[in-house]
Amino acid sequence: MDPHLLRTFVTVADRRSFSDAATELGYTQSAVSQQIAALETDLGLALLHRRPVAPTPAGERLLEHAGPLLLRHRAARADVLRAAAGPAGRLAVAASALACAPAIVRSLSPGALGGTRVGLRTVARERVAGEVASGAAHLGLVDGIAAPSDPLRLPDVGPLSGFGIAEEELVVVLHSGHPLSYRRSLDLTDLTDALWLRAPVAVPVERLRELAGGGGFRTAFGYDGEDVRTVLNLVAAGHGLVLLPASVAAEAVGTMAGTMAAGVPLSSPRVVHRVEVLYAEAAGPAATLAAQLRQPPSSTPPGTSASGS
């Protein structure tokens, strides 16, 4: 399948409109219609209902494959261009919000990289690997939770190198008046009936259900930002619980006067917050920084950060 036709199909399916897709892609509506017709002819199947515009069953199945296929196509193109271009004078780093611990960010200084200019931007956890594979970033910093010393589960977006640079315990952050706030530790299965806060910087509720091996973990409030203090304010206001790295929770709680949030270590299941480095280049500034960050992941006590040097 022609990736250009596939991209047009995905855009039309997402926008539910041929004209809106044409505007987004910079084509005429006639050109978009012709590209969809060409793709349907190639497959011998109708992929879109026209009125209203919506994927057919075959179109729904193709959408399941389209995202990974297009990403792998971009990754292959970026890999070839990287090899041809040679070392870059600027290092673009994509990072999930909680992967940017102070000690890690200090390693991004131009002096440590031979004068290379560094640009850092935060993206959603699930996008970091794709940003590196597609060439949008030279290096990625991604966080998540895993069993101690186990690698994170990342999307298969192409050939990437990666390794862990930090691990630390997780804590349940809850209102200081909560009946469980005075416990020395908590088991996740004891919290399935609790009300949780949905926030990008916290461990996703879906992952909590997976770890607990069941349902529960209701949410009634969602926060779409990445400011940890706002998350703690929402917890203190009784909008739900969150699971955060110990150092993040301790630093935020410690700098908030009169906070009504408290953190209790998670004792079971035995999982940790882990930060990994991802890169595609075998040489150049990205590999230099990766080498500086490389060290075996170490357990980090609450209130501190771990990183390579």
Side-chain angles (χ1 to χ4, degrees):
M1 286 178 289
D2 186 326
H4 297 292
L5 300 183
L6 191 60
R7 176 170 171 255
T8 299
F9 164 69
V10 170
T11 306
V12 174
D14 286 345
R15 300 300 297 268
R16 294 294 199 269
S17 166
F18 280 75
S19 60
D20 288 352
T23 299
E24 180 175 329
L25 295 170
Y27 299 146
T28 65
Q29 184 172 338
S30 175
V32 169
S33 297
Q34 291 174 11
Q35 290 181 41
I36 296 300
L39 183 59
E40 291 179 323
T41 299
D42 179 37
L43 293 174
L45 294 167
L47 300 173
L48 290 168
H49 298 297
R50 266 46 176 191
R51 294 183 180 177
V53 176
T56 65
E60 292 283 3
R61 181 61 63 88
L62 181 58
L63 283 172
E64 295 176 8
H65 298 281
L69 283 172
L70 291 172
L71 182 55
R72 289 302 295 265
H73 179 265
R74 293 195 300 272
R77 183 177 186 276
D79 186 52
V80 172
L81 292 175
R82 276 193 298 262
R90 175 181 174 274
L91 183 65
V93 179
S96 52
L98 295 191
C100 299
I104 294 175
V105 173
R106 281 195 293 271
S107 299
L108 305 179
S109 65
L113 297 170
T116 299
R117 293 179 294 121
V118 181
L120 173 68
R121 59 191 175 88
T122 57
V123 299
R125 288 187 183 99
E126 61 272 13
R127 288 183 51 199
V128 175
E131 293 284 301
V132 178
S134 67
H138 299 101
L139 184 139
L141 297 169
V142 62
D143 77 291
I145 62 173
S149 300
D150 279 1
L152 297 176
R153 296 184 300 184
L154 300 173
D156 180 15
V157 294
L160 294 178
S161 300
F163 52 87
I165 57 173
E167 286 185 359
E168 65 173 307
E169 70 175 1
L170 291 153
V171 298
V172 180
V173 183
L174 63 176
H175 187 278
S176 58
H178 194 284
L180 298 177
S181 65
Y182 299 100
R183 295 272 292 271
R184 299 186 64 179
S185 64
L186 287 169
D187 188 316
L188 194 60
T189 57
D190 295 332
L191 301 168
T192 56
D193 293 331
L195 191 66
W196 290 76
L197 175 68
R198 185 181 294 275
V201 295
V203 176
V205 173
E206 294 77 13
R207 187 76 168 105
L208 297 177
R209 294 189 183 113
E210 180 183 344
L211 290 169
F217 300 98
R218 298 172 296 120
T219 60
F221 195 99
Y223 167 60
D224 292 330
E226 297 180 341
D227 181 69
V228 177
R229 292 191 180 190
T230 299
V231 170
L232 294 183
N233 283 332
L234 291 170
V235 171
H239 290 297
L241 285 59
V242 291
L243 191 60
L244 290 172
S247 63
V248 173
E251 180 180 359
V253 170
T255 57
M256 292 176 63
T259 182
M260 294 294 290
V264 181
L266 181 71
S267 59
S268 179
R270 185 71 180 99
V271 289
V272 295
H273 177 259
R274 179 178 170 92
V275 178
E276 292 186 1
V277 171
L278 301 176
Y279 64 101
E281 296 178 281
T288 299
L289 177 57
Q292 292 176 1
L293 291 170
R294 181 183 286 277
Q295 71 170 14
S298 58
S299 297
T300 309
T304 62
S305 300
S307 73
S309 58

